[in-house]
Structure formats: structure tokens, C-alpha cells
Amino acid sequence: MMSNTRPSNTGRAPGAASQDAAPGPRGMVVHYSKIALALLAGILFAGFCALGTWQVKRLFWKLDLIERVEQRVHAPATDAPGPAAWASITQQTDEYRHVRLSGTYLPIFNTLVQATTALGSGYWLMTPLRLADGSTVLVNRGFVPKREGIAASTPAGIVHVDGLLRVSETGGGFLRENSPATQHWYSRDVAAIGASHMLSNVAPYFVDAKAKSETAVDAPVGGLTVISFHNNHLVYALTWFALALMVAGISWWIVREDKRRRARRSAGTQESDHAGQD
């Protein structure tokens, strides 16, 4: 009489588990590890894409700012903002505006600010200009290579200044703080310079005088304003998007290899089952 019992698992590789068997503790750990890695990959991909998108927005903002600044620089000169408009002056809306103003220089309050220019190292010569309404605007008359003789070259009487509006540079220079007590200046900090000379009603900006605004032989050299903007946003955007693609690529490779590994394992199990049945 033939037996109705199923073939035994004799011949199956030692320790091999049935495909229908529930995963053990090790299998659960592997399963949850995969979920955690998938979540981490998703977070990294979304984060890198968000950073790349933000840099693209910054790029268009910077390009728009550069265009607006170019328009201000080459626009016809307008009257410099008076005290009523001082509170509304910002770097975004007013920096590098082409302005004009008239007044009397106060050479007794000349201030030298350390500078490095295309002409070499030296100083910016900052001189207060007293306007008809009693307010004061600091004028960067230009570059001078040395401290001596700066007061003697100051024009007397009413002068007309044509130049670019600049927002105050607070604090100091790189690794150097302004020292009002010793009159060592590393940035054109309007408020601090005005306070050091006890000037009142000082505008919150200064004006870079244009070239040849003064004709004396030893006059400071104007027109050396450097208009430049750091614009690396495209490089940053490409970097973030590249990192996002790397995360996506690595994730795809891991998933593909995991599928191949499981396919090989499944094929090996089936061969063991056939061997056992034989």
C-alpha cells in the first residue's frame, strides 16, 4: 500500500527555513533597519532639494539686485536724502544711488579710514559736509596714500559733490575693530565717526565722491568705488541638487542589490527543496 505522507524535508540544507515561516527577531531587525534607512534617505533627498530650490531663489534675487544697482549707478544724479528720509534708507533700496549735494567741508574733522585700493594701500579721506539745512553728511573724498597734508588740500567755501550713496559700515574691518579714542578706523562707520567728533544731525550714510571732483595736485583720488556682489548661488544650487541625486542614486542601487540578493536566496531555497524531494 502506498503511503499518503508528504515527502520529508530530507536533503534540505541544514538550518534552512521554510518560505512560509514567520520572520524571526533577526528578520524583524533587518526589516525595521530598511524602513529607517528609507526614511533617512527620503529626509536627505527632500532637504537637499529644498536647499537647492532656496539657492535658486537667492540667485534670481541677487541677479535682480545687481540689475537694480546698475540702474542706480548710471541714473542721473538726484538730491541726497534729507533728514526726513533718513529712517527709510536701507541697503537694498538705496545702496549706490547716484546723488548730489552741496555744502561746506569741515576739514577740522577729517577722518582717515584704512583702505586697500587699485592704487595701493592708504586711506579713505572722510570729511563732514555741512549742508544748508544744518545737517551733516560724511563724504568719502577719495584715496590718499599718507596722512600728511590732507587738511591743506580741502576746498573752501560752498562745494558741489556728485557721487554714490553708501550705507554705513559698522564695527570695523577684518579682525580689526575701530578705535575712536585713538582715531584708528578700519571701516566707514558713520555714526561712530560722527560721535567721535561730537557732530550732530549726521546722516546715516556717506557719499563716495566721483572721480575728479577735486582738481588740486595733492587732492584725494575719487571714483574708486568697487561695485561687486558675491554671486555663488548657482554653484550652491547645483551642489545641493547633486547631493540629492547622489542620495537617490545610492538608494536605487541599494534597493536593486537587495532585490537581487533576495532573488538569489529564493532560487537557492527552491533548488534545496527539489533536492530534498528527489
Side-chain angles (χ1 to χ4, degrees):
M1 181 181 292
M2 295 180 64
S3 173
N4 292 328
T5 58
R6 295 182 179 179
S8 65
N9 288 333
T10 305
R12 177 175 294 184
S18 172
Q19 286 181 296
D20 298 330
R26 181 180 178 183
M28 294 297 293
V29 171
V30 172
H31 177 70
Y32 287 120
S33 296
K34 291 179 179 178
I35 293 177
L37 288 174
L39 287 175
L40 177 60
I43 293 172
L44 289 174
F45 180 80
F48 290 146
C49 286
L51 289 170
T53 302
W54 176 66
Q55 287 295 338
V56 169
K57 292 180 179 178
R58 293 282 297 173
L59 171 63
F60 284 106
W61 171 82
K62 183 62 68 65
L63 292 175
D64 179 67
L65 174 62
I66 293 173
E67 182 180 358
R68 284 186 281 117
V69 167
E70 287 294 327
Q71 291 175 352
R72 295 174 199 163
V73 171
H74 298 101
T78 59
D79 292 337
W86 287 353
S88 62
I89 292 176
T90 65
Q91 188 173 30
Q92 290 73 21
T93 59
D94 298 282
E95 186 84 16
Y96 301 112
R97 279 176 55 186
H98 188 190
V99 297
R100 60 173 179 261
L101 61 166
S102 301
T104 305
Y105 278 132
L106 305 177
I108 190 175
F109 300 123
N110 278 338
T111 300
L112 293 173
V113 180
Q114 193 167 54
T116 301
T117 71
L119 301 178
S121 298
Y123 305 91
W124 297 122
L125 176 56
M126 308 288 291
T127 304
L129 184 71
R130 180 64 51 81
L131 277 59
D133 62 1
S135 62
T136 302
V137 175
L138 282 178
V139 175
N140 176 18
R141 294 165 54 197
F143 172 80
V144 293
K146 57 184 181 179
R147 291 179 172 270
E148 295 77 14
I150 58 175
S153 64
T154 304
I158 301 295
V159 295
H160 304 282
V161 177
D162 188 350
L164 301 178
L165 184 150
R166 304 292 309 280
V167 175
S168 179
E169 302 169 347
T170 59
F174 180 67
L175 298 179
R176 293 182 175 182
E177 294 186 359
N178 294 325
S179 177
T182 60
Q183 287 296 298
H184 284 86
W185 302 93
Y186 304 99
S187 72
R188 292 163 289 190
D189 189 334
V190 170
I193 292 174
S196 71
H197 297 305
M198 294 183 289
L199 297 171
S200 60
N201 205 21
V202 179
Y205 60 85
F206 62 93
V207 174
D208 276 346
K210 297 186 71 173
K212 298 182 179 179
S213 58
E214 298 181 31
T215 57
V217 175
D218 56 350
V221 180
L224 297 179
T225 305
V226 176
I227 302 174
S228 64
F229 296 90
H230 295 290
N231 188 14
N232 297 320
H233 299 297
L234 180 59
V235 174
Y236 296 152
L238 292 175
T239 300
W240 292 124
F241 286 134
L243 289 172
L245 288 175
M246 287 176 59
V247 170
I250 292 172
S251 300
W252 174 81
W253 181 83
I254 291 175
V255 170
R256 186 191 66 175
E257 291 301 309
D258 183 63
K259 287 183 178 179
R260 288 181 175 179
R261 188 165 46 251
R262 284 190 282 112
R264 288 194 297 267
R265 188 184 302 118
S266 177
T269 302
Q270 290 177 2
E271 288 178 3
S272 298
D273 287 342
H274 290 316
Q277 289 175 1
D278 293 340

